[in-house]
């Protein structure tokens, strides 16, 4: 690209890097969901596993929906990035930067 264009090069790498971090967060959320589901099966309270409790199932279901939404948003942003470039994918990447951490935190918390 030439001398004096280092900032431009660095900016061009931010979009793909952000998507990478979003997928890492989604992976952490998936791991948390797996561990929570295992715990709900193994833990017995009031004579039955926690997985029989509707409130616990609802919480696990919400975790799944949030993670799937963040994953789909990230995959769509990656598709846009590949097909149309950084400028066209800017809004989709911004949405991922919000959705992925929110989904991961909700699941881990």
């Amino acid at each position: 690209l030439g001398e004096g264009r280092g900032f431009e090069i660095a900016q061009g790498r931010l979009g793909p890097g952000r998507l990478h971090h979003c997928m890492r967060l989604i992976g952490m959320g998936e791991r948390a969901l797996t561990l929570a589901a295992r715990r709900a099966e193994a833990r017995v309270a009031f004579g039955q596993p926690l997985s029989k409790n509707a409130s616990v199932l609802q919480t696990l279901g919400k975790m799944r929906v949030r993670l799937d939404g963040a994953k789909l948003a990230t995959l769509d942003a990656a598709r846009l990035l590949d097909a149309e470039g950084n400028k066209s994918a800017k809004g989709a990447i911004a949405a991922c930067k919000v959705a992925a951490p929110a989904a991961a935190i909700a699941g881990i918390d």
Side-chain angles (χ1 to χ4, degrees):
L1 285 172
E3 188 174 332
R5 300 190 62 198
F7 181 74
E8 183 180 345
I9 295 168
Q11 287 296 109
R13 294 298 311 144
L14 284 178
R18 288 181 176 137
L19 290 181
H20 171 78
H21 290 298
C22 289
M23 288 308 288
R24 287 180 51 228
L25 283 166
I26 292 166
M28 285 185 233
E30 290 283 349
R31 178 71 174 147
L33 177 59
T34 299
L35 292 173
R38 284 184 192 162
R39 175 74 174 156
E41 280 292 320
R43 176 77 167 99
V44 176
F46 305 109
Q48 64 182 4
L50 287 179
S51 61
K52 301 288 184 193
N53 183 314
S55 176
V56 171
L57 291 176
Q58 183 178 24
T59 300
L60 293 174
K62 285 181 180 180
M63 287 172 64
R64 167 56 50 214
V65 169
R66 285 187 187 120
L67 286 169
D68 284 351
K71 187 177 196 175
L72 289 172
T74 304
L75 290 172
D76 185 54
R79 182 193 58 77
L80 271 173
L81 188 64
D82 286 344
E84 300 176 23
N86 282 357
K87 288 185 181 178
S88 295
K90 189 166 71 170
I93 293 170
C96 295
K97 286 180 3 184
V98 173
I105 288 170
I108 293 168
D109 200 23

